[in-house]
Amino acid sequence: MYTVLAIIAAVLFLIAWLINAAEVSTNDVFTATNVMLIGLALLALHVAGVGSGWAPRGRRR
């Protein structure tokens, strides 16, 4: 349910791969490496649990 960051990271990895595979010339900001690093940052946030919401700590009755 809370896999949005992982999905966005996967899409960014796909875009970075396409830029690299097609050897598309882009500006200095939108390179395959920069897109891949943004994807890695989003993946790290997903693994760290950011965006997963609050979980109840107590017992349910």
Side-chain angles (χ1 to χ4, degrees), residues 5-54:
L5 290 175
I7 292 171
I8 294 172
V11 169
L12 287 175
F13 287 140
L14 177 65
I15 291 171
W17 180 78
L18 287 174
I19 290 171
N20 192 24
E23 296 180 2
V24 175
S25 62
T26 59
N27 59 9
D28 291 337
V29 176
F30 192 66
T31 62
T33 304
N34 287 344
V35 174
M36 186 174 43
L37 289 174
I38 293 170
L40 283 173
L42 289 174
L43 190 61
L45 289 173
H46 170 71
V47 170
V50 173
S52 62
W54 291 95

